[in-house]
Structure formats: structure tokens, C-alpha cells
Amino acid sequence: MPHLEAVKHILDTTLGLNGRVLEAHTPLLGSVPELDSMAVIGVIAALEDHFGIVVADDDIHARHFATVGTLHDFVFAKLRA
């Protein structure tokens, strides 16, 4: 999974997870207390800055934040678009 390490790093630093182990299958929404609705906006902003992508409001869906892997897949799709 290209860019997975960058996505994990962004989640760690943006959410203040202090190096918590994150894998592609790690659940996010509903499982990581630090990831509330306001934190989602911060994560999206950090992803946009790091990867040079633009995430429209209509693009934001809970399914993209189901796991670290689904978030990575969302970013990867944005990079390929």
C-alpha cells in the first residue's frame, strides 16, 4: 500500500496518538476516541497539505474513516484522480 506509512504518521501526529500502533486493519471511527468530528477536519487538512490533494465536502464519508486502510485507499484514489 503506497503512502500507508504517511497516512499512519499523519493520524498519529494530528490526533496525538503518541506512536500508538496503527495497521491497515486498525479501526478508526468509533474505535479511536481522539477521532471525533472536529479531528476528522484536522486529519483531512493534514492529508491535503501532505499529499497536495483537495477533499471536497461531498467527498467526506464515514466509510473512508472506517479503518486506516480505507483512509489510505481514499487518499490513493484522490492522488490517481
Side-chain angles (χ1 to χ4, degrees):
M1 293 181 130
H3 312 296
L4 180 62
E5 291 304 314
V7 170
K8 290 181 349 183
H9 178 74
I10 288 167
L11 286 167
D12 183 52
T13 57
T14 304
L15 301 177
L17 300 178
N18 300 316
R20 189 180 308 166
V21 175
L22 298 172
E23 301 297 337
H25 63 273
T26 302
L28 292 174
L29 277 182
S31 296
V32 176
E34 295 87 350
L35 188 61
D36 59 17
S37 59
M38 292 305 294
V40 166
I41 302 304
V43 169
I44 290 169
L47 292 169
E48 287 177 324
D49 289 345
H50 180 85
F51 290 106
I53 59 175
V54 175
V55 179
D57 290 345
D58 292 345
D59 292 340
I60 302 169
H61 298 281
R63 69 178 177 268
H64 300 308
F65 287 86
T67 67
V68 174
T70 59
L71 184 58
H72 163 270
D73 293 346
F74 172 70
V75 169
F76 190 64
K78 284 295 204 181
L79 287 168
R80 295 181 52 170

